[in-house]
């Protein structure tokens, strides 16, 4: 069996401990790494954990589980895929963070992997995926760790909740069945929807703005029937460099609390072009918050009507 071993590295202007923490806390990953859509814990112990990762590789969405060993004292995290997705037969590696000074560090990312049946084409596919993902992961890690140190004000989260006198499953179904949104949501002009892997969806849609113009968005969604749908938007409007979100449906004594949560990082370079030369970061926050909230509340309102009519 041919086992390939490769290493990628980058220098980051941030303390080693801060870099380690961002890598150790997997809930940060969709914000840090462009290919990562969503990460969940399967099990957690002291220094050992199993995580499930949904991510894109060479433009295809895939998911897998990994075991991780955390070593905060030596600033090392080793990982090994539990069950790999073909053409990968086995995949593992190590993150090593080395302090260069009090404010900078070197991040090394090691991989070892094999292809199913030692297939040369499969190995070539993995070579390309590991190389492009490692480069984009390290570049994004550098950008986002340095950004986190530089400015809190351009990253923000918020949520909108509606109470529904109905069943969580019906409200969930409305959001899950995005292929029907053209018929169900007035602000959606067209939809291209695919779920090639159960529970992992690609959603591209054209949405109408108040002025009648339409804009196209593409998201990957991970669905957890019948209570949660997490997503990451991969084509972004000019004012955002990141947009992740989550729809949650929680049954309670009053029926269902349906919530739409958003996390956004603003693209400060485009504020003047979009909102005018005098616009501030606060103006951009208010604008983006307003636009996302308006669409979320409209969608939740239609989900509420749908679920309540089903009773």
């Amino acid at each position: 069996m041919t086992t390939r071993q490769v290493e990628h590295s980058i220098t980051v202007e941030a303390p080693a401990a801060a870099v380690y923490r961002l890598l150790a806390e997997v809930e940060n990953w969709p914000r840090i790494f462009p290919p990562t859509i969503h990460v969940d814990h399967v099990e957690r112990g002291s220094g050992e954990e199993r995580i499930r990762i949904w991510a894109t590789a060479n433009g295809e969405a895939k998911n897998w589980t990994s075991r991780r060993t955390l070593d905060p004292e030596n600033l090392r995290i080793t990982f090994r895929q539990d069950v790999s997705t073909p053409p990968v037969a086995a995949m593992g590696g190590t993150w090593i963070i080395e302090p260069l000074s009090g404010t900078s560090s070197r991040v090394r990312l090691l991989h070892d992997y094999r292809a199913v049946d030692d297939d040369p084409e499969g190995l070539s596919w993995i070579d390309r995926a590991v190389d492009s993902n490692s480069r984009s992961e390290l570049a994004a890690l550098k950008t986002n760790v340095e950004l986190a140190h530089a400015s809190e004000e351009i990253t923000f989260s918020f949520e909108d909740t509606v109470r529904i006198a109905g069943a969580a499953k019906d409200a969930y179904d409305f959001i899950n069945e995005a292929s029907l949104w053209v018929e169900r949501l007035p602000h959606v002009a067209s939809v291209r929807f695919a779920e090639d892997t159960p529970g992992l969806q690609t959603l591209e849609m054209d949405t109408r703005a108040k002025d009648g113009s339409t804009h196209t968005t593409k998201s990957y969604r991970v669905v957890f029937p019948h209570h949660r749908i997490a997503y990451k938007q991969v084509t972004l409007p000019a004012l955002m460099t990141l947009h992740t979100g989550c729809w949650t449906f929680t049954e309670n004594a009053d029926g269902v609390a349906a919530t739409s949560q958003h996390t956004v990082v603003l693209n400060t370079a485009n504020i003047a072009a979009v909102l005018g030369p005098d616009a501030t970061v606060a103006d951009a926050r208010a604008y983006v918050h307003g636009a996302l909230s308006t669409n979320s509340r409209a969608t939740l309102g239609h989900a509420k009507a749908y679920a309540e009519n089903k009773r």
Side-chain angles (χ1 to χ4, degrees), residues 3-68:
T3 298
R4 185 87 90 219
Q5 295 184 317
V6 296
E7 176 174 332
H8 295 79
S9 64
I10 201 163
T11 301
V12 177
E13 296 305 316
V19 179
Y20 175 86
R21 190 176 63 250
L22 276 166
L23 289 170
E25 295 168 0
V26 293
E27 57 273 19
N28 296 313
W29 286 15
R31 303 185 198 183
I32 299 172
F33 299 132
T36 305
I37 303 162
H38 185 67
V39 185
D40 254 4
H41 279 101
V42 183
E43 335 170 328
R44 298 177 90 160
S46 63
E48 300 274 337
E49 61 184 19
R50 272 179 73 223
I51 57 175
R52 192 168 178 202
I53 303 159
W54 290 261
T56 58
N58 293 344
E60 296 171 44
K62 305 219 174 229
N63 71 86
W64 63 90
T65 57
S66 279
R67 291 186 178 279
R68 298 208 310 166

Side-chain angles (χ1 to χ4, degrees), residues 102-285:
T103 57
S104 69
S105 46
R106 182 171 186 74
V107 179
R108 295 167 59 205
L109 175 55
L110 283 51
H111 281 99
D112 60 83
Y113 50 86
R114 290 189 285 106
V116 173
D117 298 331
D118 257 352
D119 175 45
E121 280 187 26
L123 191 61
S124 170
W125 186 94
I126 305 166
D127 286 338
R128 293 195 308 276
V130 167
D131 189 57
S132 73
N133 276 7
S134 297
R135 287 172 191 278
S136 68
E137 279 184 18
L138 288 171
L141 179 74
K142 176 180 171 66
T143 300
N144 290 305
V145 170
E146 290 173 359
L147 250 178
H149 273 263
S151 173
E152 295 279 291
E153 66 172 346
I154 64 168
T155 301
F156 62 102
S157 300
F158 60 92
E159 56 185 43
D160 296 292
T161 300
V162 301
R163 306 278 164 208
I164 298 175
K169 181 186 182 304
D170 293 328
Y172 167 93
D173 284 347
F174 185 92
I175 304 298
N176 183 47
E177 294 165 359
S179 57
L180 304 175
W181 280 5
V182 174
E183 299 138 48
R184 292 176 169 179
L185 294 173
H187 66 274
V188 175
S190 69
V191 168
R192 292 158 299 288
F193 177 87
E195 189 169 350
D196 299 329
T197 304
L200 183 54
Q201 304 173 343
T202 306
L203 172 62
E204 195 172 353
M205 60 181 181
D206 300 317
T207 310
R208 287 190 197 90
K210 285 178 190 155
D211 63 7
S213 64
T214 62
H215 67 281
T216 304
T217 58
K218 181 179 178 180
S219 299
Y220 290 107
R221 309 202 310 174
V222 180
V223 300
F224 303 91
H226 299 273
H227 62 98
R228 187 158 62 109
I229 297 175
Y231 64 88
K232 182 174 187 174
Q233 194 175 336
V234 291
T235 56
L236 291 159
L239 283 176
M240 292 187 263
T241 61
L242 174 100
H243 176 208
T244 62
C246 196
W247 304 91
T248 51
F249 309 90
T250 310
E251 294 200 326
N252 54 36
D254 305 328
V256 176
T259 299
S260 168
Q261 184 274 341
H262 299 272
T263 295
V264 169
V265 178
L266 294 174
N267 186 342
T268 52
N270 289 339
I271 292 174
V274 176
L275 298 178
D278 300 326
T280 63
V281 167
D283 295 331
R285 273 179 78 132

Side-chain angles (χ1 to χ4, degrees), residues 75-99:
L75 302 178
R76 292 170 78 101
I77 299 167
T78 57
F79 58 89
R80 177 81 34 205
Q81 288 185 8
D82 258 358
V83 180
S84 299
T85 306
V88 180
M91 170 81 72
T94 310
W95 290 95
I96 302 168
I97 298 99
E98 300 170 340

